[in-house]
Amino acid sequence: MAAAHGGIGGSGSSSGVDVVVVGVGPGLAGASTASVLTAAALEGSPYDLVVSAGIGGGFVPEARVGSLVVADEIVAADLGAETPDGFVSVTELGFGSVRHQPPADLVRLVGDAVGAPTGAVLTVSTVTGTAERAAALRERHPTALAEAMEGFGVAEAAAVHGVPVLEVRAISNPVGPRDRAAWRVPDALAALTEGFGKLVPVLESWNRHDQ
């Protein structure tokens, strides 16, 4: 997770961007993010933006291995219930929302800056390992570009604090049958590092209070 202080330039680092390792899975990521945001708020230096960033699986052909994607929706794809008629989300059950929407103008600016497509990024607690599950996810979420394990937890914590959220993922493997030989984690991390070099100037120029 990267978080921007005070529209860039506040406490935490010379650039105003703090990088925090929040762990694997939506639960730990959400708890870690909430802890950081709460501490900053109590210190009187709240964050203006939270960015959930990391690697993930990509839905081909839209998201190829080694590329970046930017979320225009952050979706908890497996939060709900299985029924005889199929999966029913928590939203459909009437127990809350399974979607967070990052600021549309920021999504567009970041996508343009890093040359990445924008679409839904799914948060799952169990990584997809079969073609059948990949197809089912795409049927339920036709705009999905990628799946990962932390975005929704980070977004939930940010929402509690009233802080906007962004999610950027570098694609390390295709979503589908589990094949470790096809993973390109170093390529994905290199793409993410390069992308952040282009991302930070956008964050520096974006001001949530102008929206």
Side-chain angles (χ1 to χ4, degrees):
M1 180 189 80
H5 262 301
I8 304 299
S11 64
S13 69
S14 60
S15 68
V17 176
D18 296 335
V19 178
V20 182
V21 178
V22 296
V24 176
L28 180 56
S32 299
T33 302
S35 177
V36 171
L37 293 177
T38 298
L42 291 174
E43 291 170 0
S45 56
Y47 289 97
D48 277 352
L49 176 71
V50 172
V51 182
S52 178
I55 62 175
F59 289 96
V60 294
E62 293 86 355
R64 58 180 177 77
V65 173
S67 69
L68 297 179
V69 301
V70 180
D72 62 9
E73 284 190 311
I74 301 170
V75 183
D78 55 8
L79 183 59
E82 292 288 348
T83 77
D85 297 320
F87 179 81
V88 178
S89 73
V90 159
T91 300
E92 294 169 294
L93 292 171
F95 296 137
S97 176
V98 295
R99 298 177 185 274
H100 288 280
Q101 291 187 304
D105 65 318
L106 182 59
V107 170
R108 183 179 65 256
L109 290 170
V110 170
D112 289 345
V114 301
T118 62
V121 174
L122 310 182
T123 298
V124 295
S125 295
T126 301
V127 173
T128 297
T130 67
E132 291 77 14
R133 186 167 190 254
L137 287 175
R138 279 305 292 267
E139 183 177 358
R140 293 205 304 266
H141 308 283
T143 68
L145 293 178
E147 71 168 22
M149 301 183 74
E150 293 79 33
F152 188 79
V154 171
E156 289 275 82
V160 168
H161 282 266
V163 180
V165 67
L166 181 72
E167 184 169 12
V168 179
R169 290 286 163 180
I171 305 305
S172 59
N173 57 277
V175 176
R178 186 172 174 82
D179 179 9
R180 288 296 299 269
W183 290 14
R184 299 290 183 267
V185 173
D187 292 344
L189 292 175
L192 191 62
T193 300
E194 180 182 356
F196 256 81
K198 302 173 182 177
L199 172 64
V200 170
V202 176
L203 301 185
E204 289 176 338
S205 63
W206 185 77
N207 187 335
R208 64 179 287 197
H209 302 295
D210 290 339
Q211 310 311 309

